[in-house]
Amino acid sequence: MSSGPDFEKHDLIPAIAQDADTGDVLMMAWMNREAYEETLRTGRVCYYSRSRKKLWRKGEESGNVQELQSIYFDCDADTILVKVNQIGGAACHEGYKSCFFQRVDPSTRVVQVEGERLFDPAVVYKKS
Amino acid sequence: MSSGPDFEKHDLIPAIAQDADTGDVLMMAWMNREAYEETLRTGRVCYYSRSRKKLWRKGEESGNVQELQSIYFDCDADTILVKVNQIGGAACHEGYKSCFFQRVDPSTRVVQVEGERLFDPAVVYKKS
């Protein structure tokens, strides 16, 4: 058994966020060791943004923070699962509860949107 | 809206498998375009093994295949979510239902195993 996720093998490890109450898979992002440590220490989920190349305190802009309920790592110690209380109800920057709101029909390849927009991204992120 | 996961940006995309009935997150692995296409075509989940560098038809050795119930991709089109019927009940090669059977206590860092072993890996994979 490992003592925790292995950041020696990979600097960045995928972290899956799941709604602790409903079981909905909300999003997948990345953690480095610093983000993982901050998540444990603060009880709020912190990722590492690959595009911005810095810690990403989820919800720092929108207020939709993720309160950590429990944290797991997998058999290979190279993936993290966080169960969270998603403040604001929506994890996705596009305003949906889950980032996985696009469903593919395997036969037709038609993509359908599942779920409603809970907020308007233009308002929350004050983009002009 | 995208027409599907974007394999132009990244050859390999993380794919999260979730139990369609219970909502348990079972595992995370990787798909390339070929694995994704095979999954859609066959209705059985196929990943790409980074270590073996080839398609990984989940369950081909253990019999514990994953029947595809539905398939989603995320807002950035760079992560896949499959909801599956996990044959045999256990997704993890260590015999647990979920690969995320190790839970970390944020205060003490103590790791506890959650869940029972459903099979003995030594028997299923016939390792000597």
Side-chain angles (χ1 to χ4, degrees), chain A residues 75-87:
Chain A
C75 46
D76 294 329
D78 62 5
T79 310
I80 292 166
L81 172 66
V82 288
K83 298 191 183 180
V84 304
N85 176 25
Q86 175 64 61
I87 301 298

Side-chain angles (χ1 to χ4, degrees), chain A residues 1-4 10 14 16 18 23-25 28 30 36-37 40 50 68-76 78-81 92-94 99-104 106 109 111-114, chain B residues 1-5 10 14 16 18 23-25 28 30 36-37 40 50 68-76 78-81 92-94 99-104 106 109 111 113-114:
Chain A
M1 203 165 72
S2 313
S3 60
H10 305 283
I16 301 161
Q18 184 180 30
D24 289 346
V25 175
M28 201 289 290
W30 301 81
Y36 173 71
E37 293 293 337
L40 291 184
R50 292 189 299 176
L68 185 71
Q69 300 296 310
S70 53
I71 185 163
Y72 300 79
F73 60 97
D74 76 342
C75 46
D76 294 329
D78 62 5
T79 310
I80 292 166
L81 172 66
C92 182
H93 72 289
E94 295 203 21
C99 291
F100 298 95
F101 59 85
Q102 298 172 102
R103 179 175 175 169
V104 183
R109 305 301 173 94
V111 176
Q112 280 200 307
V113 169
E114 276 193 11
Chain B
M1 203 165 76
S2 312
S3 60
H10 306 283
I16 302 160
Q18 182 179 31
D24 289 344
V25 175
M28 201 287 293
W30 300 83
Y36 173 72
E37 293 292 337
L40 291 184
R50 291 188 300 176
L68 185 71
Q69 298 298 308
S70 53
I71 185 163
Y72 300 79
F73 60 99
D74 76 343
C75 47
D76 294 328
D78 61 6
T79 310
I80 292 166
L81 172 67
C92 182
H93 71 289
E94 295 203 21
C99 292
F100 298 95
F101 60 84
Q102 298 171 103
R103 179 175 175 169
V104 183
R109 306 299 174 94
V111 175
V113 168
E114 276 193 12

Side-chain angles (χ1 to χ4, degrees), chain A residues 13-78:
Chain A
I13 290 186
I16 301 161
Q18 184 180 30
D19 187 301
D21 288 330
T22 65
D24 289 346
V25 175
L26 299 174
M27 58 181 284
M28 201 289 290
W30 301 81
M31 284 190 190
N32 62 1
R33 189 191 299 273
E34 203 183 341
Y36 173 71
E37 293 293 337
E38 176 164 325
T39 298
L40 291 184
R41 195 174 65 247
T42 63
R44 281 190 176 183
V45 180
C46 177
Y47 301 100
Y48 180 85
S49 167
R50 292 189 299 176
S51 55
R52 286 176 282 160
K53 296 188 173 47
K54 61 172 192 171
L55 290 185
W56 168 28
R57 295 173 179 96
K58 170 70 182 161
E60 62 189 339
E61 203 180 340
S62 65
N64 294 339
V65 300
Q66 294 179 333
E67 295 174 346
L68 185 71
Q69 300 296 310
S70 53
I71 185 163
Y72 300 79
F73 60 97
D74 76 342
C75 46
D76 294 329
D78 62 5

Side-chain angles (χ1 to χ4, degrees), chain B:
Chain B
M1 203 165 76
S2 312
S3 60
D6 181 2
F7 293 101
E8 300 293 322
K9 245 192 315 187
H10 306 283
D11 286 345
L12 292 180
I13 289 186
I16 302 160
Q18 182 179 31
D19 187 301
D21 288 330
T22 65
D24 289 344
V25 175
L26 300 174
M27 58 180 285
M28 201 287 293
W30 300 83
M31 284 190 189
N32 61 3
R33 188 190 301 275
E34 201 182 342
Y36 173 72
E37 293 292 337
E38 176 164 324
T39 298
L40 291 184
R41 195 175 65 244
T42 64
R44 282 190 175 183
V45 181
C46 177
Y47 301 101
Y48 180 86
S49 167
R50 291 188 300 176
S51 56
R52 286 177 281 161
K53 295 187 173 48
K54 61 172 190 170
L55 290 186
W56 168 28
R57 296 175 179 92
K58 171 71 183 158
E60 62 189 338
E61 202 180 340
S62 64
N64 294 340
V65 300
Q66 295 179 332
E67 295 174 346
L68 185 71
Q69 298 298 308
S70 53
I71 185 163
Y72 300 79
F73 60 99
D74 76 343
C75 47
D76 294 328
D78 61 6
T79 310
I80 292 166
L81 172 67
V82 287
K83 297 191 182 180
V84 305
N85 175 25
Q86 175 64 62
I87 301 300
C92 182
H93 71 289
E94 295 203 21
Y96 294 91
K97 178 177 183 182
S98 163
C99 292
F100 298 95
F101 60 84
Q102 298 171 103
R103 179 175 175 169
V104 183
D105 183 306
S107 319
T108 63
R109 306 299 174 94
V110 170
V111 175
Q112 281 200 306
V113 168
E114 276 193 12
E116 284 170 58
R117 271 215 154 112
L118 298 178
F119 67 75
D120 179 348
V123 173
V124 169
Y125 296 102
K126 298 185 181 62
K127 282 174 185 157
S128 57

